[in-house]
Amino acid sequence: MTMGSEIAGAERPAGRARREDTRDRVVRTAARLLTEGGTDAVTTRAVAQAAGLQPPALYRLFADKDALLDAAVEHVYAEHVAAKRSAAADSAAGEEDPVAQLRAGWRTQIEFGLANPAAFLLTADPVRAGKTPALARGMEVLRERVRRVAAAGRLAVAEQRAVDLIHAAGTGALHTLLALPPERRDPGLADALFDAVARSVLTDAPALPTDDTAAAVTAFRALVPRLPRLSPAEAALLDEWLGRDRGGA
């Protein structure tokens, strides 16, 4: 290897690092403009100027404005989900009622959507939502909260049904609130909707098999992965049997 090729090889990682730093700066800038001014604020010229670049430089990092918006939305949601995961871990480590944890997570999500309407509405497009991995991680936080409710014997329906109902209700609540001027928004609407969903998916108290078979089966399914003497195949088979008893997950 010649001296020139050795130098070129050393420069390549440095060049990639500079490119990643520039991309990160651009994404953070676009995310800030999106949060502060909505999608109309995220223009190539505005982002480039705020990031200290010339507009052509952005096209070496992103194919078009949509790609830049995708990255900005991912950044906004990633920060939100990281905070949710931290809060969920703290709650799980304490003695807080899992239903109270679920309600707290709902309120956090509603507050995020109201504070970041542009990012939320962009992910309402299923195509764009599929380009936002942080959304999938956020759904996993919800599943973890629902699983703790199930393990406590408080869930009256299958876990996935509860997750789907809560997610659909939260999305609907935010769409309804964001469609109204701030002064006309009912501050109690989201909580009332959570209460309505809770009545359809929760039991009033931990259920015994003789009290509520469905809730007991759901609770047991939540505990199956923790049974130490079962192999993965045996645990999967037991979960399948229990799901068949509930009419499937």
Side-chain angles (χ1 to χ4, degrees), residues 35-112:
T35 300
E36 294 175 354
T39 54
D40 289 344
V42 188
T43 65
T44 302
R45 183 176 299 278
V47 173
Q49 182 176 3
L53 300 171
Q54 293 298 318
L58 265 63
Y59 291 107
R60 290 195 287 271
L61 299 169
F62 302 96
D64 50 30
K65 180 181 175 179
D66 270 353
L68 179 57
L69 277 172
D70 289 340
V73 171
E74 168 66 14
H75 179 80
V76 172
Y77 267 89
E79 289 193 333
H80 168 58
V81 171
K84 279 180 64 176
R85 278 197 177 280
S86 177
D90 290 344
S91 296
E95 299 297 325
E96 188 179 357
D97 173 23
V99 174
Q101 295 172 22
L102 188 63
R103 181 185 290 275
W106 166 279
R107 286 176 172 165
T108 297
Q109 190 65 27
I110 296 296
E111 290 168 0
F112 168 79

Side-chain angles (χ1 to χ4, degrees), residues 122-147:
L122 282 170
T123 58
D125 175 0
V127 174
R128 193 181 296 277
K131 301 177 184 177
T132 310
L135 278 178
R137 295 195 294 273
M139 286 297 294
E140 187 54 37
V141 174
L142 173 57
R143 289 190 187 93
E144 290 167 3
R145 291 182 186 274
V146 169
R147 191 168 297 123

Side-chain angles (χ1 to χ4, degrees), residues 161-239:
R161 181 170 178 79
V163 169
D164 290 342
L165 283 169
I166 293 166
H167 176 65
T171 300
L174 280 169
H175 274 293
T176 300
L177 290 170
L178 290 173
L180 297 171
E183 66 275 10
R184 288 184 53 202
R185 293 173 188 169
D186 178 357
L189 184 144
D191 281 343
L193 190 51
F194 178 87
D195 289 339
V197 173
R199 284 193 294 271
S200 71
V201 302
L202 302 178
T203 61
D204 291 335
L208 296 174
T210 54
D211 296 329
D212 188 336
T213 302
V217 170
T218 298
F220 188 48
R221 286 189 76 188
L223 295 172
V224 166
R226 305 183 198 175
L227 299 177
R229 295 185 180 276
L230 294 182
S231 69
E234 290 169 335
L237 183 59
L238 179 55
D239 183 73

